Structures are given as structure tokens and as C-alpha cells.
């Protein structure tokens, strides 16, 4: 299986990425057990299918270690040149508090060792408390480590527009922000997209499939309730988002429309949900969870690049969205759900 050229994006001068990123939150423990060897073997299948770009974090369980082991096996089986095909975007999520160059560098060095790299492709920084202004010191030190060659590019995770602006005005070059963005959660459209357009900042989106809820599996089904049905961390999280957005009945209306559009193009509901977000301004890529060795959707994900949505498709989707509650009013800007 070869993905078309439209599946690729020249994200930075030195990083050509797949626009569907393989998300590794699923190996962190809240989505069931993962067999490490089976996970590594499946990573080769993703790579060979064209899904070359990985999204991970220091706190996603063994995610960084998996990438490090994968890189070692890639060298052993295909030679060092094969490493140029792989892009690994990690995160640093420190506890708020005083930041020193030593502390920042020690944490970056841990990721370098775990990933088995000399320089991090993209370090996506997250900060829990805006009241604690030490995040600017942390970013200043990260920028110094970038100058020293330990980091290629700096991004953010779950920063709102106001604080993205503060960081940009402080002279720190940010290339991306990772935010929740889906047909359910369209908060980035309020302020974030416009600011990113003005400052050449890309968005990486997660939650775009609502943890799997935006799929045929839930079309025409009774509302899932309780831990015995909402069996993963993702399902619990995104079912709560649907409740705030407009509830299960309106969600069923959305799924029905998506199914009609999917049938028209010969694809799946999930494909339509991803394609819509990929088409939004400044969106560089959509992160889709990879439960490595446990549940794979490689062939289905590839279909995202096989079709285009037309104006009628978008109008029908937007007509349902207009009936929903305003999540920006309910929750706030991107990432504010983590800081309440």
C-alpha cells in the first residue's frame, strides 16, 4: 500500500511528515495491555504503509522507549539511512515550579536517550498552570537547547490563544500547537486558527475521532453509559465532550449525515470526520491513536487521502453543528479543560 503524495506535508524545511500521525497515548495504560514485541512489529507495518510520523510524550508509558527500540531494529534490519523515514514528535509535561537550565536539560536528555536520537524532531511543551509564569523560563531554556542542537523544533500542547500570543511576543519561535479539534469540538475555529494563520504556526489535532465514537460502530446504537461500555480512557473522555456538545440524540443525527457522505465517497464515517479537519486552515496533521498490536486501522486510515469533501458535504455537516451548544462558551479556549 502506497499513500498518495497528498498524504505528505513539508512541515518544516527539514521535516516531511505524514498528515495522519500515529498517536501513542494508547500505549500509556488506559487502553488495555500492549505487548512490546508485537507493538514494535506493528510499527514496521505503519512505516511500510506510509504512516511515518509518530506523536508521543514523556508520560505516555513506554512510548519513547518503543520508538527507541524501533529505531534500533530499523538500523539492524534496513541500515542507518532508513531512519530518515521516521519522524517522532514527543512532549515534555513538567510539574509547574521554578525552571532552571539544568532541570530542563536533564529532562530533554532523558527523552534523547529513550528515543535513541541526537536531536528531537519536535519537542511539544505543555504547562498546567498559567498563573505560574515559569513556563516562559522553561521555553527560553528549550530554545537555548534548540540552538545547541538537542532540539530541532519547538511546539506546544494545549496552549490557548492568549498564551500562545504571549509566547510568540516573547520571541520564542513556535512551529505548532497540539489541540483538540473535531466535528464535536470546533473551539479552534474561534480564535486559534486565525492567530496561527497570522504567525505561521501549524495545528496538530487530537480527539478528531472522539476516541472511536465517530464511527459506524456507534451509529444507531443506544447511548453508552458506565465503565463496562466506555472501556478506554478515550471513550470516557470524548463521551463527556459529546454530552456537553449536544447529547447522544444530536450525535446520532451527525453520524447519520456522516454515513450518507461516507457512502457517497465509498469511505467510512471516520474517514469523513478526519478529512473535514484536515481541510481546515493551518491543520498540518490529525493524530489517530494506534493501539499497537491490539487494534489497527491502517487500511481504513489510508482512505482519508482517496477523496475530497465538496461544498454540499460541508454544508450538511455544518447544519448539524449549528444545532449544538457552543463549547467555547461552556469550556473556554483550546486546552482550558485541563486548567479548571
Amino acid at each position: 500500500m502506497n499513500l498518495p503524495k497528498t498524504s505528505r506535508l513539508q512541515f518544516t524545511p527539514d521535516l516531511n511528515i505524514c498528515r495522519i500521525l500515529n498517536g501513542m497515548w494508547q500505549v500509556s495504560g488506559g487502553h488495555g495491555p500492549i505487548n512490546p514485541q508485537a507493538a514494535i512489529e506493528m510499527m514496521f507495518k505503519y512505516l511500510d504503509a506510509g504512516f511515518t510520523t509518530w506523536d508521543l510524550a514523556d508520560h505516555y508509558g513506554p512510548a519513547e522507549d518503543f520508538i527507541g527500540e524501533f529505531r534500533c531494529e530499523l538500523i539492524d534490519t534496513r541500515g542507518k539511512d532508513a531512519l530518515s523515514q521516521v519522524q517522532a514528535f514527543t512532549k515534555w509535561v513538567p510539574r509547574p515550579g521554578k525552571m532552571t537550565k539544568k532541570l530542563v536539560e536533564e529532562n530533554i536528555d532523558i527523552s534523547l536517550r529513550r528515543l535513541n536520537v541526537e536531536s528531537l524532531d519536535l519537542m511539544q511543551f505543555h504547562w498546567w498552570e498559567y498563573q505560574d509564569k515559569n513556563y516562559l523560563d522553561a521555553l527560553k531554556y528549550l530554545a537555548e537547547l534548540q540552538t545547541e542542537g538537542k532540539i530541532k523544533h519547538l511546539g506546544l500542547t494545549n496552549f490557548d490563544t492568549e498564551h500562545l500570543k504571549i509566547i510568540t511576543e516573547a520571541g520564542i519561535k513556535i512551529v505548532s500547537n497540539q489541540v483538540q479539534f473535531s466535528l464535536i469540538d470546533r473551539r479552534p475555529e474561534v480564535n486559534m486558527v486565525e492567530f496561527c494563520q497570522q504567525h505561521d504556526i501549524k495545528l496538530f489535532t487530537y480527539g478528531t475521532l472522539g476516541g472511536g465514537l465517530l464511527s459506524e460502530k456507534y451509529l444507531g446504537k443506544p447511548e453508552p453509559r458506565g465503565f463496562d461500555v466506555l472501556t478506554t480512557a478515550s471513550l470516557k473522555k470524548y463521551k463527556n465532550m459529546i454530552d456537553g456538545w449536544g447529547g447522544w440524540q444530536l450525535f446520532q443525527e451527525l453520524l447519520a449525515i456522516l454515513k450518507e457522505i461516507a457512502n457517497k465517497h465509498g469511505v467510512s464515517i471516520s474517514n469523513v470526520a478526519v478529512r473535514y479537519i484536515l481541510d481546515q486552515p493551518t491543520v498540518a496533521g490529525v493524530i489517530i491513536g494506534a493501539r499497537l498490536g491490539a487494534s489497527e486501522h491502517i487500511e481504513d486510515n489510508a482512505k482519508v487521502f482517496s477523496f475530497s469533501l465538496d461544498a454540499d458535504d460541508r454544508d450538511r455537516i455544518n447544519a448539524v453543528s449549528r444545532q449544538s451548544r457552543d463549547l467555547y462558551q461552556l469550556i473556554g479556549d483550546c486546552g482550558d479543560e485541563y486548567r479548571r
Side-chain angles (χ1 to χ4, degrees):
M1 179 172 60
N2 289 316
L3 295 182
K5 285 184 179 177
T6 54
S7 70
R8 310 297 301 182
L9 175 76
Q10 197 65 43
F11 169 48
T12 62
D14 60 330
L15 288 174
N16 186 280
I17 67 169
C18 181
R19 295 195 69 203
I20 289 181
L21 288 75
N22 311 311
M24 297 187 78
W25 180 36
Q26 274 75 1
V27 305
S28 64
H31 297 79
I34 297 289
N35 178 302
Q37 192 51 47
I40 303 297
E41 289 172 11
M42 188 52 65
M43 291 171 78
F44 277 91
K45 292 184 179 176
Y46 275 90
L47 176 65
D48 290 339
F51 296 99
T52 64
T53 311
W54 299 84
D55 179 77
L56 47 144
D58 59 339
H59 65 292
Y60 288 2
E64 290 188 332
D65 302 310
F66 281 2
I67 291 288
E69 179 59 33
F70 174 55
R71 286 172 53 83
C72 286
E73 292 196 19
L74 197 57
I75 293 170
D76 289 344
T77 57
R78 304 186 184 182
K80 202 163 188 179
D81 288 349
L83 291 177
S84 63
Q85 299 174 315
V86 179
Q87 307 84 44
F89 299 166
T90 194
K91 304 179 189 76
W92 181 40
V93 185
R95 291 191 182 134
K98 182 170 173 55
M99 291 286 127
T100 64
K101 175 77 176 282
K102 182 173 182 289
L103 174 70
V104 175
E105 188 162 19
E106 283 174 352
N107 280 277
I108 295 311
D109 285 345
I110 291 170
S111 286
L112 289 169
R113 283 196 302 274
R114 292 180 73 190
L115 288 164
N116 189 28
V117 294
E118 294 177 1
S119 183
L120 302 174
D121 289 335
L122 176 68
M123 169 49 71
Q124 303 168 98
F125 175 73
H126 176 88
W127 191 256
W128 292 109
E129 294 177 19
Y130 292 141
Q131 298 92 327
D132 184 334
K133 306 294 188 211
N134 285 302
Y135 69 89
L136 286 171
D137 288 334
L139 282 162
K140 182 183 74 176
Y141 295 131
L142 286 169
E144 288 180 13
L145 293 173
Q146 183 180 7
T147 303
E148 293 165 20
K150 290 193 172 186
I151 298 169
K152 292 177 186 170
H153 302 283
L154 277 181
L156 302 171
T157 299
N158 286 316
F159 271 80
D160 65 13
T161 313
E162 177 188 350
H163 291 86
L164 180 56
K165 184 170 186 281
I166 290 169
I167 291 164
T168 303
E169 289 177 348
I172 296 162
K173 173 61 178 168
I174 297 298
V175 296
S176 63
N177 188 22
Q178 188 175 134
V179 295
Q180 187 169 298
F181 197 179
S182 70
L183 294 175
I184 301 302
D185 184 0
R186 299 177 66 160
R187 289 176 294 157
E189 294 175 350
V190 181
N191 291 316
M192 181 65 67
V193 165
E194 183 180 3
F195 182 85
C196 288
Q197 282 180 294
Q198 291 168 352
H199 294 85
D200 193 25
I201 297 169
K202 299 296 186 190
L203 293 178
F204 289 116
T205 76
Y206 66 88
T208 307
L209 292 179
L213 289 164
L214 279 156
S215 68
E216 278 79 2
K217 183 178 178 181
Y218 293 93
L219 175 61
K221 296 294 192 293
E223 182 172 0
R225 302 174 188 272
F227 294 116
D228 54 333
V229 182
L230 300 169
T231 54
T232 69
S234 293
L235 288 172
K236 296 179 186 75
K237 175 178 180 175
Y238 297 113
K239 173 58 167 59
N240 285 337
M241 295 299 297
I242 289 169
D243 293 344
W245 169 80
W248 195 249
Q249 185 174 339
L250 185 61
F251 184 63
Q252 286 298 314
E253 288 182 37
L254 176 61
L255 287 182
I257 291 294
L258 294 177
K259 182 59 177 171
E260 290 178 14
I261 295 169
N263 287 345
K264 169 180 156 184
H265 294 288
V267 296
S268 69
I269 286 175
S270 297
N271 294 155
V272 176
V274 171
R275 184 74 260 172
Y276 188 98
I277 299 302
L278 270 181
D279 290 342
Q280 301 312 301
T282 81
V283 172
V286 168
I287 299 159
I288 299 182
R291 290 177 66 191
L292 295 168
S295 174
E296 310 308 332
H297 304 280
I298 292 175
E299 288 188 20
D300 187 62
N301 290 344
K303 292 177 184 171
V304 167
F305 305 110
S306 71
F307 74 105
S308 300
L309 295 173
D310 59 35
D312 180 63
D313 298 332
R314 290 189 289 272
D315 288 345
R316 297 183 72 196
I317 291 168
N318 292 339
V320 180
S321 293
R322 283 194 290 273
Q323 300 175 55
S324 69
R325 299 190 193 103
D326 185 343
L327 288 182
Y328 191 92
Q329 293 295 325
L330 283 173
I331 301 172
D333 200 358
C334 302
D336 281 0
E337 62 269 30
Y338 296 105
R339 299 179 177 89
R340 288 190 296 176

